[in-house]
Amino acid sequence: MRTLSLVVTLSAFTTPLWAADFTVTRTDDPAPDGVTLSQCRVGGDCSLREAVLAANKRPGPDRILLGRAVYELTRATSATTPDGRSGPLLVTDTLDVAGAGSARTRVRWRSGVTPPHMFTPHKHPVWTASGDYQIDLQAMTISGGRGAAGGCIDRWAGDLNLRDVVVESCEGTTGGAIHFGGAYTSEGAGAYVLSLVDTTLRDNLAQYGGALFLRQTGTVIGDGARLLDNTALQHGGAVDAVPAETTVISYALQMVWRSEGDGTQVADNSAGGNGGGFSLVGPGYANIFSVSGAAPIVFERNVAVGEGGAISMRLQSFASPVAGTTAGMTLEQARLYDNAAASGGAVMLRAVRAVMNDIEFARNSAQNGSGGAIAADYATSGSRQSLLAIQRASFNQNHATQRGGAISSQCQIVSAYDSSFHANTSIGNGEVISSTGYTNFIHVSTDGHGQPTMGPASLHLTHHTACPGSGFTIANSVIGGTDNCYGQHGIIMSNGGNQFSSYAGGCYFQAGLDAYGSSASFALSVGTFGGDKSVLGWTNDGITRPQVNFGQPSLCSITDVRGLPRNVGACDAGAFEQQW
C-alpha cells in the first residue's frame, strides 16, 4: 500500500542523495555489454540504455547525465513485455535523467526503426516504468515514440516529474505523449503526481488523449505547462481522463489539475469526438484550478467535432460495479477563449454536477448546436437533472447556432452569481441563457443582446418533456441595453432588487422592489476596471447611477464579479459594485 503522503509528493524535484552518477558517453544504442553496478559497459563507455540498466541494478536513487547531443534508440523488438535491453527504456527504481536543456538534448527513436504509425502490436515508447518510485526527466526533448499506452512515456503507479522538457511528435493509442495512471488497489487510486514544470507537450497524436491520457490518476501540477497542437482521433485533443475498469470492479475518476506559478496553457488542440482540450469521464470528479497568485489556466482555440471545444465531461455507465454513481467537476480561475465545438463551444456537461468560479468565456462558438460558452444537459439514461453553479464569471461574444448564446441548460439547475454577460449571440432564443430547467440569477449584469421588436430573446425559459419541471428567478440584477425576457413556458420571476431597461418588459416586475430606467443611465461598458477579466461595469465619475445601492440587502453577495468587496447592507444591483 502506498505510504508516501501527498504533501511530500507535491514537493517535486527534491534532491535525494544519489547512489551513483552515470555519465552517458555515446549517442548510439548498441547491444548492452557487461553492465555492472559500477559501470555501464566493459571498457568504460556508456550508452543511455546501458546507463538505465546499470541504474536499475543499484538500489536507491541514481542519476544519469546527458550532454548536448541527440541520443537515438534503435533496438526495436517484437516482444510485448519490455526488458530494457531492447524496446523502450525501462526504469525500475528512482531515477533522475538530466540533459543540457530542451533545446540542446534530444532523446528519440530513430525514424523508421519503430512502426511509422500507431495501432501496432509493438510497444515502443521512449520511456516506460511501473512502480512506486519517482522519476525525474529534466532539460531534454523527447520525440519519435510509437507506444500503445503513451507514445513517448508510459508511467503507471508512480510519480513522474518533468522540468524543461519538450515531448513532441509522438503517437500512441492512449496518450500521444504520455500515458499516466494510478494503481488498482482496494482503496482506489494512489495519490500519484505528474509534474509539468516549464514543459511543453506538442504535435502529438493519439486515438484518446492527444497529449496525455490519465487513467484513475491523482494530481497533475502545471507550472509553465503548455499543451499545444495535439490531436485525438476520438476524445481529448490534449487530455483524456477516464475511470479505471477491470473485469471485476471499477474505480471512479479522481483527477486534480493544479495550476501553479506560470500556470497551464491548453491551446490549438483538436478532437474528432468530444473535448478539444480536456475530455473527462465520470463517475468520479475532476478538480481543475489555479492556486491563488498563479497565472490562470487558459484554454484557447481548441476544437472538438463533437461536444465541448475546451472541456467535455460526461457521466458514463460501466458494466462492472463502480465506486460512486455521480460525476462532478470544479473549474476555478480559468480563461476560455475562441474554442469551438458542435455543442458547448467551450464547455459541455452531461449529467455532471459542476461548480465554476472566477472564469472568463470569450468568443467561444457552438457551431452546430446550443451553448456558445456552456451546454449543460442530462444523460439519456439515468440522471435527468444536475447542478451548475457559476460565480464571478464573464461571458463575452460567445455564439450558438441554435439557442443559448452563452448558456444552454436542458433540465439542469443553474445558479449564476456576480456574473456578467455581454454581446453573446444565438440564432434561436436565449442569447444570455436558454433554460428548460430551474435557473436562478443573483447579481447578474446583461447588455448587448436582444432586439427591440424581433429576434432572439436574451433570457429564455421554455420546457422539455424529460425535465421534472422548470422555473427562472432573477434578483439584484441589471438587464440593460435592449435585453429582454421571454417566458415561452412560464414566467421569469423577480425576487426584487432588479434594474430593467425599458426594453425588458417581458421580465416580471415587482412594484417597489424593481425599477425601470434608461439603458443610458446604467452607463455600462466593457472593461477590466481594476480586475483581471473583461466585465460589464462603469466608471465612477461622480454621476449617480440608478443601480447603485439598489440591491435587496438580504440578497447581497460578499464580492462582485471582480472579487472586490460589496457595500455591507446597501449593495449595487448587477455584477459590478462601484468602489468608493
Side-chain angles (χ1 to χ4, degrees):
M1 182 178 72
R2 184 176 176 81
T3 58
L4 187 62
S5 73
L6 181 60
V7 173
V8 174
T9 308
L10 289 176
S11 181
F13 302 105
T14 56
T15 303
L17 297 175
W18 305 114
D21 279 351
F22 297 95
T23 300
V24 176
T25 61
R26 57 192 298 170
T27 61
D28 60 346
D29 189 19
D33 177 17
V35 174
T36 69
L37 293 177
S38 60
Q39 64 182 12
C40 286
R41 184 179 175 89
V42 174
D45 62 349
C46 181
S47 71
L48 174 56
R49 184 181 299 277
E50 291 166 330
V52 173
L53 291 171
N56 289 342
K57 286 180 175 288
R58 299 183 65 93
D62 297 292
R63 181 168 60 178
I64 295 174
L65 302 176
L66 303 176
R68 183 172 180 169
V70 176
Y71 299 85
E72 286 195 322
L73 304 180
T74 57
R75 293 184 54 76
T77 177
S78 59
T80 57
T81 302
D83 62 4
R85 298 182 61 84
S86 58
L89 300 171
L90 173 64
V91 180
T92 61
D93 201 357
T94 301
L95 183 65
D96 177 21
V97 185
S102 60
R104 298 178 176 89
T105 301
R106 182 181 292 269
V107 180
R108 71 184 183 194
W109 274 100
R110 179 181 293 176
S111 178
V113 172
T114 58
H117 52 75
M118 56 186 181
F119 315 129
T120 68
H122 300 259
K123 298 180 179 180
H124 288 86
V126 177
W127 300 93
T128 186
S130 178
D132 191 4
Y133 45 86
Q134 180 171 306
I135 299 174
D136 295 351
L137 301 177
Q138 304 185 51
M140 69 183 71
T141 292
I142 304 168
S143 64
R146 297 294 184 267
C152 272
I153 302 174
D154 183 11
R155 183 69 176 113
W156 185 261
D159 298 334
L160 174 63
N161 301 318
L162 305 182
R163 181 189 292 273
D164 183 26
V165 171
V166 175
V167 187
E168 63 183 9
S169 303
C170 309
E171 295 181 13
T173 304
T174 53
I178 302 172
H179 177 278
F180 187 80
Y184 298 121
T185 71
S186 60
E187 299 177 356
Y192 297 112
V193 174
L194 169 62
S195 183
L196 304 174
V197 178
D198 296 326
T199 288
T200 301
L201 311 180
R202 67 186 179 204
D203 295 311
N204 301 288
L205 172 68
Q207 181 109 353
Y208 300 92
L212 178 59
F213 186 84
L214 303 171
R215 187 185 298 277
Q216 192 204 359
T217 184
T219 297
V220 181
I221 300 175
D223 182 352
R226 295 168 294 274
L227 285 67
L228 311 174
D229 294 292
N230 302 285
T231 302
L233 300 182
Q234 293 292 327
H235 307 310
V239 176
D240 191 18
V242 302
E245 185 176 26
T246 71
T247 56
V248 178
I249 194 169
S250 296
Y251 298 101
L253 176 69
Q254 303 173 53
M255 188 196 90
V256 174
W257 191 289
R258 176 186 172 99
S259 224
E260 301 180 347
D262 291 332
T264 300
Q265 181 188 23
V266 183
D268 301 301
N269 304 284
S270 63
N274 301 325
F278 284 13
S279 173
L280 313 168
V281 175
Y285 72 86
N287 188 1
I288 305 166
F289 68 101
S290 282
V291 299
S292 178
I297 181 169
V298 177
F299 294 84
E300 53 188 342
R301 300 182 303 277
N302 302 287
V303 177
V305 174
E307 301 175 338
I311 301 172
S312 167
M313 186 168 188
R314 61 198 182 278
L315 177 64
Q316 181 172 316
S317 299
F318 287 86
S320 57
V322 174
T325 57
T326 61
M329 184 186 79
T330 60
L331 180 64
E332 297 185 76
Q333 199 180 344
R335 306 293 180 259
L336 299 93
Y337 306 137
D338 302 295
N339 303 285
S343 294
V347 177
M348 181 72 197
L349 304 169
R350 192 168 290 279
V352 173
R353 299 177 63 87
V355 176
M356 299 184 184
N357 183 40
D358 189 10
I359 314 293
E360 182 174 11
F361 296 91
R363 302 176 303 278
N364 302 287
S365 177
Q367 298 182 328
N368 193 33
S370 300
I374 303 172
D377 209 341
Y378 64 88
T380 54
S381 61
S383 173
R384 280 286 189 266
Q385 193 167 63
S386 198
L387 172 70
L388 169 60
I390 301 167
Q391 186 170 8
R392 294 179 52 211
S394 66
F395 297 79
N396 300 310
Q397 301 180 60
N398 302 285
H399 175 73
T401 54
Q402 292 186 14
R403 62 181 180 274
I407 302 173
S408 171
S409 168
Q410 286 278 44
C411 301
Q412 306 304 292
I413 301 171
V414 177
S415 298
Y417 304 88
D418 303 293
S419 294
S420 165
F421 296 82
H422 175 254
N424 303 283
T425 58
S426 63
I427 305 301
N429 280 305
E431 291 191 314
V432 171
I433 183 171
S434 178
S435 172
T436 61
Y438 290 97
T439 302
N440 186 29
F441 277 7
I442 300 179
H443 282 299
V444 165
S445 294
T446 78
D447 200 350
H449 313 92
Q451 298 178 34
T453 58
M454 59 182 297
S458 307
L459 280 61
H460 179 228
L461 174 65
T462 184
H463 82 290
H464 192 289
T465 56
C467 303
S470 62
F472 201 138
T473 61
I474 56 177
N476 285 11
S477 294
V478 174
I479 309 301
T482 58
D483 289 15
N484 54 74
C485 301
Y486 177 31
Q488 185 175 1
H489 294 274
I491 300 173
I492 297 180
M493 301 294 294
S494 166
N495 279 334
N498 299 300
Q499 283 281 344
F500 297 118
S501 77
S502 57
Y503 294 99
C507 306
Y508 189 86
F509 179 89
Q510 286 205 64
L513 297 180
D514 299 318
Y516 283 115
S518 162
S519 181
S521 68
F522 301 149
L524 297 178
S525 63
V526 177
T528 56
F529 301 101
D532 58 3
K533 55 182 179 286
S534 295
V535 301
L536 281 171
W538 66 91
T539 303
N540 186 0
D541 53 10
I543 300 175
T544 301
R545 306 297 176 193
Q547 65 268 34
V548 172
N549 294 339
F550 191 79
Q552 291 291 301
S554 63
L555 297 175
C556 289
S557 58
I558 298 173
T559 62
D560 73 354
V561 65
R562 299 162 296 173
L564 298 180
R566 290 193 182 274
N567 298 325
V568 177
C571 60
D572 297 349
F576 185 89
E577 183 82 10
Q578 181 171 278
Q579 302 295 306
W580 298 93

